[in-house]
Amino acid sequence: MDGSVDGSKPPPQTANGNGVVSKTKLRLKPEKEHKSESYHDLQQLEFSPLLFSSLEHYLPPNMLNVPRELKLRYMRDILLRYTTEGERARIQRHREYRERITSNYQSLHEELYTMQAEEFFVPSFLNAIKEGTEDSLRSVMTEPSPGIFTFEMFQPHFCELLVSEVENFERWVHKTKFEIMRPNTMNKFGAVLDDFGFESMLDKLVEEFIRPMSRVLFPEVGGATLDSHHGFVVEYGMDRDVELGFHVDDSEVTLNLCLGKQFIGGELYFRGVRCDKHVNSETLSEEVFDYPHVPGRAVLHRGRHRHGARGTICGQRANLLLWCRSSVFRELKKYQKDCSSWCGHCHREKKERQRQSVAATKLELLNKDGF
């Protein structure tokens, strides 16, 4: 992908082996040893700061060590080339929408809006992340069904404060009659955390905590390159959403954390990982798994792991959802015809093709030998 540093200057140029000057391009493979800049302190970015940090690894060698401002303009130019005018207008409208909220909403618990790991996480989880090895991460997790990981993550006090903050935001919405966007097309109750100030904190959560886990647990779906997110809280109860239908998430990796409160019911049910082509295919018995929510306990799974939530019989349940996405994986997925590395049905189809190929080869050899 070609990209200029800014609109008034030509892009950096290099000479090839024939002495011909050409535009530099993003490298096809990332420079894994490069330490990316942080873009969290910058305001008015059209794209997630994590996206710029991730894209930096693909810059050409002569751009890796230039000032951050030049790298930012270079990457921004590339991203804008591949963003339609309609999409850019949508991004601008959403930015203005968030600015209207944050300039008028008075937060209740300001300490929640910046990452404070020692205050947020349980010690076992925090120690596992600090050690950073696969063994340390798996030591605090259970895998009750293939590809579904559960673990203690946030301290009860954090969960209580976050529920309180969301309830305060909803009271403000009701009082001011401000029309907000709901988390997704399936939930009529709840709030998008990114829309009222949590985007930077959740970026840190993805970058420093979710991505290290996903790099180990979900490498085949871009777990090592997560660079954006959609974070929200959903609420269930008799006067809220009651259940959630069978679906897949718009994510590569999903974090689902039960915040509380007191409730009966609301179990998650999982039914196997599927690509777009096989999302409605049959479920095998070994893919059936039901999970009862426990306040403070998190579930981490592939976004394409089909699931739903049964009805909350009584009480109220609130959950934090973080849909984590990888722009690199999504771009590569456009060219993938075989998703057998992660789609259960694709894997079975591939094995069946291999079986038929082996059987056909055996038959051909037998015929040649006169049997």
Side-chain angles (χ1 to χ4, degrees):
M1 293 186 290
D2 298 333
S4 60
V5 173
D6 59 37
S8 60
K9 299 178 182 179
Q13 296 180 329
T14 57
N16 61 23
N18 298 319
V20 178
V21 175
S22 61
K23 295 180 182 179
T24 49
K25 300 178 180 180
L26 289 177
R27 63 176 76 208
L28 294 176
K29 295 183 179 180
E31 176 51 65
K32 295 182 180 180
E33 301 302 319
H34 174 68
K35 184 173 177 59
S36 295
E37 305 264 12
S38 173
Y39 297 86
H40 289 288
D41 60 312
L42 301 179
Q43 304 296 320
Q44 305 297 321
L45 292 178
E46 297 97 327
F47 307 96
S48 164
L50 266 183
L51 180 56
F52 288 108
S53 295
S54 178
L55 190 60
E56 221 185 274
H57 291 275
Y58 293 84
L59 288 175
N62 64 328
M63 288 294 297
L64 287 176
N65 297 311
V66 302
R68 184 178 70 161
E69 179 185 358
L70 292 181
K71 285 190 282 194
L72 176 67
R73 283 162 31 189
Y74 186 88
M75 292 184 289
R76 178 180 174 275
D77 182 77
I78 292 174
L79 291 170
L80 289 176
R81 286 171 184 250
Y82 292 90
T83 307
T84 65
E85 184 176 343
E87 177 65 11
R88 291 197 294 272
R90 186 198 66 78
I91 292 172
Q92 177 61 28
R93 289 195 301 270
H94 200 179
R95 184 188 301 112
E96 293 170 354
Y97 161 79
R98 288 183 174 182
E99 288 173 352
R100 288 199 303 273
I101 293 176
T102 54
S103 62
N104 291 282
Y105 172 65
Q106 182 62 50
S107 61
L108 185 63
H109 302 292
E110 192 65 31
E111 66 270 27
L112 293 176
Y113 290 80
T114 55
M115 176 56 68
Q116 301 181 54
E118 301 288 344
E119 302 296 324
F120 290 178
F121 301 109
V122 298
S124 59
F125 174 78
L126 193 56
N127 291 336
I129 292 292
K130 286 180 178 178
E131 189 171 334
T133 66
E134 180 172 354
D135 287 343
S136 69
L137 293 172
R138 290 186 180 273
S139 70
V140 298
M141 298 180 174
T142 60
E143 189 178 5
S145 184
I148 300 171
F149 299 89
T150 70
F151 50 96
E152 297 293 332
M153 187 175 187
F154 285 109
Q155 296 186 28
H157 185 58
F158 170 85
C159 297
E160 293 169 5
L161 290 184
L162 185 56
V163 170
S164 174
E165 186 68 46
V166 171
E167 290 175 344
N168 184 64
F169 175 68
E170 291 179 327
R171 285 193 294 270
W172 175 81
V173 169
H174 180 74
K175 181 179 179 180
T176 60
K177 302 187 185 305
F178 193 96
E179 186 175 348
I180 64 169
M181 300 178 187
R182 292 302 178 181
N184 53 62
T185 58
M186 301 181 73
N187 288 102
K188 297 179 181 178
F189 295 87
V192 179
L193 296 175
D194 300 281
D195 288 346
F196 62 105
F198 280 95
E199 184 175 19
S200 178
M201 190 276 276
L202 294 179
D203 268 345
K204 287 285 187 182
L205 178 58
V206 173
E207 183 177 12
E208 298 178 6
F209 300 94
I210 308 302
R211 192 160 66 189
M213 290 190 292
S214 299
R215 179 183 293 113
V216 171
L217 303 175
F218 306 113
E220 69 283 353
V221 292
T225 57
L226 300 177
D227 54 22
S228 65
H229 72 269
H230 175 51
F232 55 96
V233 167
V234 290
E235 300 170 291
Y236 295 89
M238 300 310 295
D239 59 342
R240 295 287 190 268
D241 290 319
V242 176
E243 61 184 9
L244 188 64
F246 194 51
H247 68 285
V248 294
D249 297 336
D250 182 13
S251 69
E252 274 61 73
V253 177
T254 292
L255 175 77
N256 186 336
L257 173 82
C258 182
L259 299 170
K261 305 176 181 179
Q262 299 294 321
F263 59 91
I264 298 176
E267 300 88 352
L268 286 177
Y269 58 93
F270 292 89
R271 298 296 184 264
V273 182
R274 297 291 188 274
C275 64
D276 291 338
K277 180 181 177 182
H278 299 123
V279 69
N280 294 315
S281 61
E282 76 281 1
T283 299
L284 299 186
S285 59
E286 61 266 26
E287 296 178 315
V288 175
F289 175 68
D290 292 359
Y291 172 78
H293 281 295
V294 178
R297 195 165 181 85
V299 184
L300 195 70
H301 60 86
R302 293 175 184 84
R304 300 297 307 187
H305 206 136
R306 302 180 300 179
H307 62 283
R310 293 196 171 88
T312 300
I313 300 172
C314 69
Q316 289 191 340
R317 175 171 65 86
N319 279 56
L320 165 65
L321 276 297
L322 198 61
W323 289 356
C324 306
R325 298 159 176 163
S326 166
S327 56
V328 173
F329 177 75
R330 293 189 173 210
E331 183 64 25
L332 293 175
K333 195 169 69 169
K334 295 176 183 178
Y335 310 101
Q336 289 180 342
K337 295 181 179 179
D338 183 357
C339 302
S340 58
S341 65
W342 54 271
C343 171
H345 200 87
C346 282
H347 180 66
R348 288 191 289 274
E349 284 187 341
K350 183 176 182 179
K351 289 184 68 175
E352 177 59 22
R353 289 195 301 269
Q354 291 172 340
R355 187 196 66 78
Q356 291 178 0
S357 176
V358 170
T361 301
K362 285 183 178 179
L363 182 60
E364 183 179 352
L365 292 173
L366 289 172
N367 290 334
K368 284 182 178 180
D369 292 339
F371 291 97

